[in-house]
C-alpha cells in the first residue's frame, strides 16, 4: 500500500483532533496519524510551523502545513476538489454553515474541554487510559511519568478555576440550547440543508466527550469509572434532543477512517 500524502499530528484525546479526523474521513481522504505526547509535542509542532503555533491538530498536506481545526476543514475543501464537499458552494446556506461551524468551534470546543478536564481532575479519576491508551507501551510510560506536569500545564492553559469552570457549564447548556433551536428539536435533522456539513461535524465531535458516542474516542472508560458529575451531565444531555442528535450523527455519519496507516511506524512496515 502506498503511503498517503497527508499526515495529521494530534492528541488522541483532543476533541478538536476528532473534529479534523472526521472531516478527513467524511471526505474519504487517506492520511497518516502521528500521536504526540502533550508537552513534548511542542518540539514537533514548533518545527512544523517554523516556530508558530504549538497546538494540535497540525495537518501536513503534501508539504503544506495547516494549523487549527477550522482552517484545516477549509483547506480540505479548497485543496481536495474531487472529494465530497462539506460546504455548500455559494449562497445563504454556505454562509450559515460557516457561521455555525465557527459558533460551535468556540462554544462547544472551549467550554466542553475546560469543564471535562476540570471534572476529571477534581474527581481523581485515572485519566491515563484516556490520554495515553492509543500509544505504544514505551510512550505510555513516558506519558504516565509526565502526567503531573501535563496536569499543571492544562490547569494553567485552560484556566481551570472555579468561576471559569462554572461559566463553561453555563455555556455548555447555552450551546446545546442553540443546537436544539437549529435542528428544531428533531435529532434526525442536519444543521443546514439535507446533508452533512462541517457545521454538523464541529458540533457533534466537540460535544462528543459529553455523551461518549460509540465511534468517538471517549468510550474507553468503563461506565462505573466515570466521575459522578460527568455521569450526571451525560445523563441530562442524553435526555435532550441535542444529545440524541450527537449520537445519531455518530451512528449515521461517522464513516470508517480513510487512512491507510495509524503511524509512521506502520507505514514503514506496509
Amino acid at each position: 500500500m502506498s503511503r498517503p500524502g497527508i499526515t495529521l499530528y494530534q492528541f488522541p484525546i483532543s476533541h478538536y483532533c476528532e473534529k479534523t479526523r472526521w472531516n478527513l474521513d467524511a471526505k474519504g481522504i487517506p492520511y497518516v496519524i502521528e500521536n504526540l505526547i502533550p508537552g513534548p509535542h511542542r518540539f514537533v509542532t514548533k518545527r512544523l510551523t517554523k516556530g508558530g503555533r504549538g497546538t494540535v491538530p497540525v495537518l501536513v498536506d503534501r508539504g503544506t502545513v495547516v494549523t487549527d481545526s477550522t482552517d484545516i476543514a477549509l483547506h480540505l475543501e479548497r485543496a481536495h476538489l474531487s472529494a465530497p464537499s462539506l460546504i455548500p458552494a455559494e449562497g445563504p446556506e454556505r454562509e450559515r454553515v460557516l457561521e455555525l461551524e465557527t459558533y460551535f468551534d468556540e462554544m462547544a470546543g472551549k467550554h466542553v474541554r475546560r469543564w471535562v478536564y476540570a471534572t476529571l481532575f477534581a474527581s481523581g479519576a485515572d485519566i491515563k487510559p484516556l490520554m495515553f491508551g492509543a500509544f505504544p507501551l514505551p510512550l505510555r510510560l513516558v506519558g504516565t511519568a509526565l502526567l503531573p506536569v501535563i496536569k499543571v500545564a492544562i490547569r494553567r492553559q485552560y484556566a481551570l478555576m472555579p468561576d471559569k469552570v462554572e461559566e463553561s457549564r453555563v455555556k455548555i447548556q447555552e450551546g446545546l440550547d442553540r443546537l436544539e433551536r437549529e435542528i428544531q428539536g428533531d435529532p434526525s435533522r442536519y444543521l443546514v440543508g439535507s446533508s452533512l456539513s462541517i457545521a454538523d461535524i464541529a458540533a457533534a465531535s466537540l460535544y462528543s466527550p459529553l455523551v461518549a458516542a460509540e465511534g468517538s474516542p471517549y468510550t474507553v472508560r468503563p461506565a462505573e469509572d466515570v466521575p459522578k458529575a460527568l455521569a450526571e451531565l451525560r445523563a441530562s444531555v442524553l435526555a435532550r434532543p441535542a444529545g440524541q442528535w450527537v449520537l445519531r450523527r455518530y451512528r449515521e455519519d461517522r464513516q470508517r477512517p480513510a487512512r491507510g496507516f495509524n503511524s509512521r511506524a506502520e507505514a514503514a512496515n506496509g
Side-chain angles (χ1 to χ4, degrees):
M1 181 184 294
S2 62
R3 178 189 172 88
I6 296 180
T7 301
L8 173 63
Y9 294 83
Q10 67 152 17
F11 300 154
I13 194 177
S14 166
H15 57 344
Y16 283 109
C17 294
E18 165 66 358
K19 175 185 162 190
T20 292
R21 291 192 300 269
W22 192 337
N23 272 289
L24 284 159
D25 294 336
K27 293 180 74 66
I29 300 172
Y31 60 104
V32 173
I33 277 181
E34 286 285 359
N35 289 325
L36 304 178
I37 297 284
H41 79 280
R42 291 182 177 273
F43 294 107
V44 177
T45 56
K46 291 286 189 180
R47 172 178 56 81
L48 291 171
T49 61
K50 301 187 186 307
R53 294 173 64 102
T55 58
V56 292
V58 176
L59 190 80
V60 180
D61 184 355
R62 295 162 294 184
T64 298
V65 179
V66 191
T67 62
D68 182 83
S69 61
T70 296
D71 290 344
I72 290 171
L74 298 176
H75 163 81
L76 294 175
E77 290 295 308
R78 294 190 301 266
H80 296 269
L81 298 178
S82 63
S85 178
L86 299 171
I87 307 176
E90 58 185 8
E93 284 199 345
R94 177 181 178 85
E95 296 306 314
R96 188 167 171 76
V97 163
L98 295 174
E99 187 271 324
L100 288 171
E101 199 279 347
T102 298
Y103 174 83
F104 287 112
D105 183 80
E106 170 68 15
M107 184 65 74
K110 172 183 176 181
H111 294 292
V112 168
R113 177 179 62 192
R114 176 185 288 151
W115 190 88
V116 170
Y117 270 128
T119 301
L120 290 173
F121 289 0
S123 73
D126 180 10
I127 64 171
K128 293 189 294 293
L130 190 59
M131 292 196 74
F132 308 122
F135 292 89
L137 179 59
L139 288 179
R140 289 204 300 273
L141 295 175
V142 171
T144 298
L146 290 175
L147 187 56
V149 177
I150 292 170
K151 283 185 172 182
V152 170
I154 288 173
R155 286 191 178 98
R156 181 175 62 250
Q157 183 176 354
Y158 301 148
L160 304 190
M161 298 172 290
D163 59 331
K164 292 292 188 181
V165 174
E166 174 59 19
E167 175 191 349
S168 287
R169 187 192 66 79
V170 172
K171 292 293 187 181
I172 286 170
Q173 300 299 331
E174 183 181 325
L176 293 171
D177 289 344
R178 170 78 184 270
L179 174 57
E180 290 177 350
R181 290 196 301 272
E182 296 294 341
I183 63 171
Q184 299 177 34
D186 182 355
S188 71
R189 294 175 65 99
Y190 292 104
L191 285 169
V192 180
S194 59
S195 62
L196 187 74
S197 73
I198 65 170
D200 299 292
I201 291 173
S205 59
L206 296 175
Y207 281 124
S208 64
L210 299 181
V211 302
E214 193 67 33
S216 77
Y218 312 106
T219 57
V220 297
R221 180 178 296 277
E224 61 270 18
D225 292 341
V226 176
K228 181 180 179 181
L230 179 55
E232 289 175 348
L233 181 62
R234 180 168 295 168
S236 70
V237 173
L238 288 173
R240 303 180 54 158
Q244 292 302 306
W245 180 88
V246 174
L247 293 182
R248 187 154 182 165
R249 295 286 68 78
Y250 265 88
R251 185 172 64 249
E252 297 182 359
D253 298 301
R254 187 68 176 98
Q255 304 299 321
R256 290 173 59 97
R259 59 186 182 273
F261 308 104
N262 291 324
S263 67
R264 287 185 187 275
E266 289 185 30
N269 292 330

